[in-house]
Amino acid sequence: GNAADLNKRRNCQRLGLRGLRVLRREAGRDSGALQFVTGRRFSDSLQRTLTLAISMPLAFIDDSGSGGDAAYYVLAGYSAPEPAWREFWKDWQAVLDINPKIEYFKMSEAESLKGEFFGFSPQQRTKRVNQFIDVILAHDLQEASVAIPEKGYREILYPILHKIHASPYYFAFIAMVSALAGINRYSGSPAETDFIFDEQRGMQNKALRLYHHLKMSLPERQFGRVGYRSDKEMVPLQAADLIAWQIRRFRCTPEEPLRDELRRLHSGR
């Protein structure tokens, strides 16, 4: 048993080695040089950008399980060319505006019938969630997700990480930008992939330092710009919230039957 556990630990350490090297080299590095990467102008002018017929891929990514009490931490989202997001935005907004109108979509609020879903019946909630899923399925979006098991992370990686980057968010962040940029690169596209993440107060600058290092070290990977915005303002992040929550629920509740929402999201493509 001890030999098997040791081999498992070594394999996991090897798999995370590149990420660990990035995390350790970047720990404590000054973030002042990152202005061109964080791209305040990029994120602040995003809605104006989406009115243009630009074909560069743009990914929107949100998290689920950040409360610390979940068995899995998940980052998930969708990537598509910017013109596709322009059409998506209009369709999503139309579902937000259905009576009773809601200001934004958040899956946890839909599930608990709180927040924007306060006063909804379970039947109304289910119908509205499925209308949002209809919008996702109506557009050609590329999905990606990363699920990190909390127990394995704490036992294997946490003890050897610099505590400044102890959150699983940083590993998931690197994995998501690598996966989505890789999907675009292997499709044959010469374009860089841009990223918008949901706000992560207290972790954004550290994540941006990692991204800066990753982009400078691996220019052939076609990493573009990156920014952070609120999912209450940026409606594609609300779609990312929906899929991230569904994947975390699926991972954390193996005894629960596959939810219809996740089945639709994955069987309708």
Side-chain angles (χ1 to χ4, degrees):
N2 290 338
D5 291 341
L6 181 60
N7 286 334
K8 181 179 178 182
R9 183 185 180 98
R10 285 173 175 169
N11 287 336
C12 290
Q13 288 174 337
R14 281 195 291 269
L15 286 172
L17 188 57
R18 173 169 290 184
L20 290 174
R21 281 199 289 259
V22 171
L23 291 173
R24 285 175 168 166
R25 277 199 297 264
E26 288 305 292
R29 183 171 294 185
D30 178 48
S31 62
L34 295 175
Q35 189 61 46
F36 74 98
V37 178
T38 64
R40 288 179 184 169
R41 294 181 181 177
F42 165 50
S43 56
D44 289 345
S45 64
L46 182 61
Q47 291 191 24
R48 184 172 68 251
T49 302
L50 289 173
T51 66
L52 305 176
I54 301 173
S55 60
M56 291 181 66
L58 175 61
F60 290 89
I61 302 163
D62 202 354
D63 72 297
S64 185
S66 58
D69 56 350
Y72 281 83
Y73 181 81
V74 173
L75 276 184
Y78 295 103
S79 177
E82 290 180 7
W85 285 121
R86 184 177 66 247
E87 297 305 315
F88 174 93
W89 197 303
K90 291 188 293 186
D91 292 347
W92 191 274
Q93 185 63 51
V95 177
L96 290 173
D97 291 340
I98 294 173
N99 189 41
K101 179 178 179 179
I102 60 177
E103 293 300 318
Y104 60 87
F105 175 85
K106 196 166 187 66
M107 187 64 221
S108 62
E109 294 185 4
E111 179 69 11
S112 62
L113 297 177
K114 295 179 180 179
E116 290 298 299
F117 282 83
F118 180 78
F120 276 64
S121 69
Q123 294 76 20
Q124 285 178 307
R125 177 268 316 281
T126 299
K127 181 178 179 180
R128 186 68 67 93
V129 170
N130 276 294
Q131 287 171 316
F132 283 116
I133 292 174
D134 289 341
V135 174
I136 292 173
L137 296 177
H139 295 270
D140 187 15
L141 310 180
Q142 178 68 57
E143 178 191 321
S145 65
V146 175
I148 298 179
E150 195 276 339
K151 185 175 185 293
Y153 186 86
R154 289 289 168 183
E155 291 179 354
I156 296 171
L157 294 176
Y158 183 82
I160 57 176
L161 282 174
H162 193 295
K163 295 305 178 279
I164 196 172
H165 290 117
S167 169
Y169 176 80
Y170 303 109
F171 263 76
F173 175 93
I174 292 172
M176 280 298 291
V177 297
S178 298
L180 286 167
I183 289 169
N184 176 61
R185 181 163 55 96
Y186 286 117
S187 74
S189 170
E192 293 182 340
T193 301
D194 291 336
F195 303 94
I196 292 290
F197 285 82
D198 187 29
E199 291 176 330
Q200 294 288 334
R201 301 191 185 281
M203 293 191 286
Q204 292 178 190
N205 285 341
K206 298 173 190 175
L208 292 168
R209 284 197 294 267
L210 296 178
Y211 188 81
H212 169 69
H213 182 84
L214 198 65
K215 182 175 180 178
M216 295 300 101
S217 300
L218 302 168
E220 73 280 3
R221 297 296 178 90
Q222 297 172 213
F223 295 117
R225 299 167 293 178
V226 62
Y228 281 87
R229 293 295 295 270
S230 168
D231 58 2
K232 294 181 180 180
E233 301 172 358
M234 199 65 59
V235 300
L237 284 173
Q238 297 170 28
D241 171 89
L242 194 162
I243 188 61
W245 189 96
Q246 293 290 340
I247 290 174
R248 181 189 59 78
R249 180 63 176 252
F250 171 75
R251 291 284 186 177
C252 292
T253 56
E255 73 285 354
E256 183 179 272
L258 180 64
R259 294 171 69 97
D260 289 339
E261 296 92 342
L262 187 59
R263 180 183 292 108
R264 284 196 66 211
L265 285 164
H266 285 174
S267 65
R269 295 192 174 278

